[in-house]
Amino acid sequence: MPENPFESSDGTFLVLVNQENQHSLWPAKITVPEGWEKVYEGGKSACVDYVDREWTDLRPASLARALDSGAAQAAE
């Protein structure tokens, strides 16, 4: 049975980001799905480090904007 490329610790990986600023670790040898953009490429551990460092607000971007807007209005 072939190895699952998502579970491999070897090879090159990508960090993908969608319009909601959600991040995904993706094997470089698999086509990037529509709606996602490559923002980083490297080994698996480097990609995981990138995600840990860059994706600090796990809320979808639209939810974060709505909540932040509501909080700003409440403070007025």
Side-chain angles (χ1 to χ4, degrees):
M1 176 177 265
E3 181 180 357
N4 181 338
F6 289 90
E7 295 177 3
S8 174
S9 59
D10 298 329
T12 303
F13 283 80
L14 308 173
V15 176
L16 307 180
V17 176
N18 66 14
Q19 292 179 325
E20 288 289 344
N21 197 41
Q22 296 168 314
H23 289 54
S24 178
L25 190 60
W26 200 260
K29 61 184 175 182
I30 297 178
T31 303
V32 173
E34 191 172 320
W36 292 83
E37 177 184 348
K38 179 178 85 167
V39 295
Y40 187 82
E41 183 172 341
K44 188 172 189 175
S45 64
C47 288
V48 169
D49 290 344
Y50 178 91
V51 170
D52 287 344
R53 186 175 60 253
E54 298 296 324
W55 192 23
T56 57
D57 186 349
L58 301 183
R59 301 175 297 175
S62 59
L63 175 62
R65 282 191 301 272
L67 292 175
D68 293 347
S69 174
Q73 290 176 356
E76 291 178 357

